[in-house]
Amino acid sequence: MELKRSLVTALLLLASFAAEASCMVLTLQQQGTRLLLQSDADSNKTSPERSAKDISKDFRQIYTALEETQEWDGKFDARLQRLSQELYGPLLPAMRKASCIVFSIEPRFMHFALDLLPIDGSPLFVQKAVAFSLGKPRADTSSLTPKSRGLIVRDLDTDPEDGANEVRKLYPNSILHNAKNVGAKLFVEANYDFLLISAHGFVTPALGSDLADPDDSIRLGKGEINADALAKAKFKLLYLDSCQLGMSKPFIDAASRSGARHYLAPIISNESGHSSTLTIRYFFGDLNKGKTPMEALFHARKRLYQDFQSKASRTDQIFYAYPFRLYIL
């Protein structure tokens, strides 16, 4: 029986490697005053006529609209469609065929909601498994199994429906802490397969700058922690259910130094409970069944998008389904 389980685990890891290794990688960079988006698989590329500055301004306006949950209107849709045509253009045939897509970007482009742009009338994030990378993405075989150990920290304010405990039940070797009882000491030399924190996040998004704010933080009961708190920790995957932590380069860098291959967090201020609880439930539920992080997040966001198709306004539908971003480190 043990041999059979080992074989199944090996096959799941191989599938994970194959899935991520076969993704279409699109590299976004600036050359002079213009942007260049290029596929790693062939010579296809796009270089919009408009300046990088103008396109970045459009994405800042989109980011602000998402962060402030501004009502979507025709002008908002037109801006998304225009950016899709400008950036994707001749890349579209290959993108339609790709099983998954990884955007390799510079930190100054972290506010670019590239997976929100529409293709054939629907946002990219509900059509393809998508991830981001701050540099050349590395395919790997890391994946969670039911035996994986997690360090889980829950703030009752941000996780009122106890999604954290659902994850603990999926991974019974994990340890669950109440956020009000812990501080930075909890992470000193911590060594777990994954870290899940649901707590308030405080980030100053760079929005077009390569400069990162070292004061980005997560609030715990015994004080706020910044990225340095993870300096000596070791994790394979980090899932931070904390506002805007998907825009924090210091925390992403700290995750990479911890040995993690995957980092997930919302790029905007996400909901406490409700959609965030569902995202936790769907994501970790799929991981527990052998899905890769890319597949699990894709299925979670697509399911949320479909769940709220007829139950919420389009503005709320995106607010519920879109916020979380996956970085491959």
Side-chain angles (χ1 to χ4, degrees), residues 262-291:
H262 301 97
Y263 176 99
L264 297 93
I267 64 170
I268 60 173
S269 298
N270 61 313
E271 190 177 23
S272 292
H274 193 216
S275 60
S276 295
T277 303
L278 292 174
T279 305
I280 289 174
R281 181 180 300 157
Y282 296 160
F283 177 78
F284 281 97
D286 265 4
L287 282 189
N288 194 257
K289 296 174 183 175
K291 299 293 186 182

Side-chain angles (χ1 to χ4, degrees), residues 37 45-46 83-93 95-96:
L37 185 65
K45 59 186 178 182
T46 59
L83 287 167
S84 178
Q85 292 170 347
E86 287 180 302
L87 287 168
Y88 296 154
L91 298 169
L92 282 172
M95 292 176 71
R96 291 188 182 103

Side-chain angles (χ1 to χ4, degrees), residues 12 15-17 19-20 142-143 262 283 286-287 290-297:
L12 289 174
S16 170
F17 177 83
E20 292 188 5
S142 62
S143 182
H262 301 97
F283 177 78
D286 265 4
L287 282 189
K291 299 293 186 182
T292 68
M294 283 190 73
E295 292 169 333
L297 184 62

Side-chain angles (χ1 to χ4, degrees), residues 4 27 29 88 95 132 149 161 170 172 183 206 248 271 326:
K4 184 178 180 180
T27 301
Q29 54 189 315
Y88 296 154
M95 292 176 71
F132 287 72
R149 295 175 65 246
E161 296 160 359
L170 287 172
S248 176
E271 190 177 23
L326 167 65

Side-chain angles (χ1 to χ4, degrees), residues 129-200:
V130 179
F132 287 72
S133 177
L134 300 181
K136 187 175 181 180
R138 296 177 291 181
D140 74 317
T141 57
S142 62
S143 182
L144 300 185
T145 72
K147 290 186 176 182
S148 295
R149 295 175 65 246
L151 176 60
I152 306 172
V153 180
R154 176 201 177 206
D155 185 323
L156 276 66
D157 287 341
T158 58
D159 184 25
E161 296 160 359
D162 209 2
N165 194 46
E166 292 186 30
V167 176
R168 188 196 62 79
K169 291 177 180 178
L170 287 172
Y171 300 93
N173 293 324
S174 300
I175 298 175
L176 173 61
H177 294 274
N178 188 322
K180 71 178 183 180
N181 298 326
V182 300
K185 288 184 179 180
L186 178 67
F187 306 98
V188 176
E189 299 185 357
N191 189 346
Y192 294 85
D193 295 306
F194 69 90
L195 170 66
L196 165 60
I197 297 179
S198 181
H200 292 290

Side-chain angles (χ1 to χ4, degrees), residues 229-240:
L230 306 179
K232 296 183 179 181
K234 293 188 180 300
F235 304 105
K236 296 177 183 177
L237 178 147
L238 281 81
Y239 186 111
L240 304 181

